[in-house]
Amino acid sequence: MTIPATGPAIILVEPQLGENIGMVARAMANFGLSELRLVNPRDGWPSEKARAAASRADHVIDAVTVFDDLASALADLNFVFATTARQRDGFKSVRGPVEAGRVLRARHVLGQRTGILFGRERFGLYNDEVGLADEIVTFPVDPDFSSLNIAQAALLMSYEWMKSGLEDETKTNFSGPDMKPASKEELHGLFAYLEGALEARGYFRPAPKKPKMIDNLRAVLTRAGFAEPELKVLRGIISSLDRFSPAMPRGDGSPGDDPRRLPAAAARARKAEVGRQPPAANGDAANGDDSDTPPLGGKGTDND
C-alpha cells in the first residue's frame, strides 16, 4: 500500500476572484496541503492576482490544475467531502470539521485519494454538485450569518486536516520558557520585603486590620505560582518604588534627596542632634530661656 504524498485535494468550483484563489492557496500552504484544483475559474488561469494574494505560496499556485467540469476534477479521487452551510435533501452523512478531518486522515493512511469540494463565492454548490460528493461537511457557524468566504472555509478544513495528524492535538510548535518554580523561602522573602515597604508608607490602616490585610496580600501572591525569575522582577519593581519617586526618579541623584523625603529626614536629624546634646543646666531650658516662661503667641496663652 502506498500512502499519497499529499493530503486531500482542494477543489474550487467556478471561483470568481483571483484574490480568493490566492488566499485559498496560502491557507493550504499554512497547513501542509499543496494540491489545488479549479473548475472553470471565471477570470481564467493563470492569474497574477491569485499569485500576489498567495503570499509566496508559489508551489501551490504553480501546481494548480484547471478542469472544464466537476466530474473530471473528481474522477481520480476515492472519497470527497462537499462543504455547505445549508441543509440539503438526500441521504448523505453530515459531519463537523473536526470529525471530517479525522475521516480524511484515516482514508489517507489507507492510501486513498481524497478531496474537499468548495462552491462559488456567491451561492456555493448546486444540489447536483453536492450529489457528486460522498459526504457533507458543515461548520458550526451562527445560523443568522452562516456564509463563509471560500478562503476562510478552506483555512478551517486545512487546519483540521493538519491537526488530525498530530500525536497530541493540543501540542504547539513552540512553548514558553521552562522556569524553575520559586521556593517557599524566596516567596516568603518577597512577602517580608513587600510588607516592610508597605508598612513604611502607612498602607496598613487602621492598625487592627493589618493581620487581615496581610492575609489577603499573601493570598493574592500565592495564587500565581511564581517562578524564580518572576520573583526577581517583582522584587526589582518593589525596590525601585521603595527607593525612587516621580520627584526624584532613577538617575537623578540619591533617593535620599527626594524633596518629599527631606522634611522627614530633617526631623530625624534634629531629633538625633537633640539626643546628642548634654542636659541643660539647672534653672535653664535647653534653648537658654527660663523654663517657667510661657512662649509668646502660643496657643492657650494670653497672647491668643
Side-chain angles (χ1 to χ4, degrees):
M1 178 185 66
T2 302
I3 297 177
T6 61
I10 300 297
I11 306 105
L12 307 183
V13 178
E14 296 182 355
Q16 297 171 249
L17 300 175
E19 292 87 345
N20 279 339
I21 298 172
M23 287 188 287
V24 168
R26 179 177 182 176
M28 293 169 60
N30 284 148
F31 298 103
L33 298 179
S34 60
E35 187 177 357
L36 177 58
R37 302 181 181 189
L38 308 179
V39 178
N40 288 327
R42 186 190 67 179
D43 296 334
W45 193 262
S47 168
E48 288 306 313
K49 290 182 178 179
R51 186 177 295 276
S55 188
R56 298 189 300 277
D58 293 329
H59 64 291
V60 179
I61 296 296
D62 292 338
V64 164
T65 308
V66 180
F67 297 86
D68 293 330
D69 58 84
L70 180 56
S72 299
L74 304 181
D76 64 325
L77 303 180
N78 304 114
F79 182 88
V80 176
F81 271 116
T83 60
T84 180
R86 304 192 309 273
Q87 185 173 356
R88 307 285 181 143
D89 296 331
F91 305 97
K92 295 188 184 300
S93 297
V94 179
R95 302 183 189 269
V98 175
E99 187 180 12
R102 293 170 181 170
V103 169
L104 290 169
R105 180 67 62 175
R107 290 182 174 274
H108 175 79
V109 170
L110 293 174
Q112 298 181 16
R113 298 282 286 123
T114 61
I116 310 171
L117 183 59
F118 297 88
R120 303 156 187 82
E121 289 94 327
R122 288 193 298 117
F123 56 85
L125 296 166
Y126 291 118
N127 285 336
D128 62 328
E129 293 167 337
V130 174
L132 296 178
D134 297 278
E135 295 185 9
I136 289 173
V137 58
T138 190
F139 303 102
V141 294
D142 186 334
D144 294 329
F145 198 76
S146 59
S147 176
L148 285 176
N149 175 275
I150 56 172
Q152 295 172 327
L155 177 72
L156 289 172
M157 285 306 303
S158 299
Y159 168 70
E160 292 301 337
W161 158 258
M162 171 162 275
K163 191 175 72 172
S164 69
L166 301 175
E167 292 183 8
D168 179 358
E169 290 188 351
T170 64
K171 187 177 181 180
T172 55
N173 288 340
F174 59 90
S175 59
D178 184 14
M179 296 186 293
K180 178 183 177 182
S183 68
K184 295 304 180 186
E185 181 181 9
E186 292 166 326
L187 187 59
H188 295 164
L190 175 67
F191 292 161
Y193 190 66
L194 178 57
E195 289 164 15
L198 293 175
E199 180 71 54
R201 282 154 182 75
Y203 174 79
F204 300 111
R205 297 194 306 267
K209 290 189 176 181
K210 179 179 177 180
K212 180 59 177 176
M213 295 173 75
I214 289 178
D215 286 345
N216 290 340
L217 180 63
R218 294 190 175 192
V220 170
L221 293 175
T222 52
R223 287 185 62 185
F226 291 112
E228 285 184 359
E230 293 171 325
L231 285 190
K232 291 180 180 179
V233 170
L234 288 176
R235 286 192 71 117
I237 292 171
I238 297 167
S239 176
S240 181
L241 293 175
D242 193 37
R243 291 175 53 81
F244 300 96
S245 70
M248 184 61 62
R250 184 182 292 275
D252 196 26
S254 169
D257 296 333
D258 186 337
R260 295 184 302 180
R261 301 185 181 189
L262 290 178
R268 287 194 297 272
R270 288 195 300 270
K271 184 176 180 180
E273 182 64 27
V274 170
R276 288 193 293 269
Q277 290 180 355
N282 291 337
D284 291 329
N287 61 6
D289 296 330
D290 188 338
S291 59
D292 293 332
T293 304
L296 296 179
K299 190 172 183 180
T301 67
D302 292 341
N303 294 311
D304 283 350

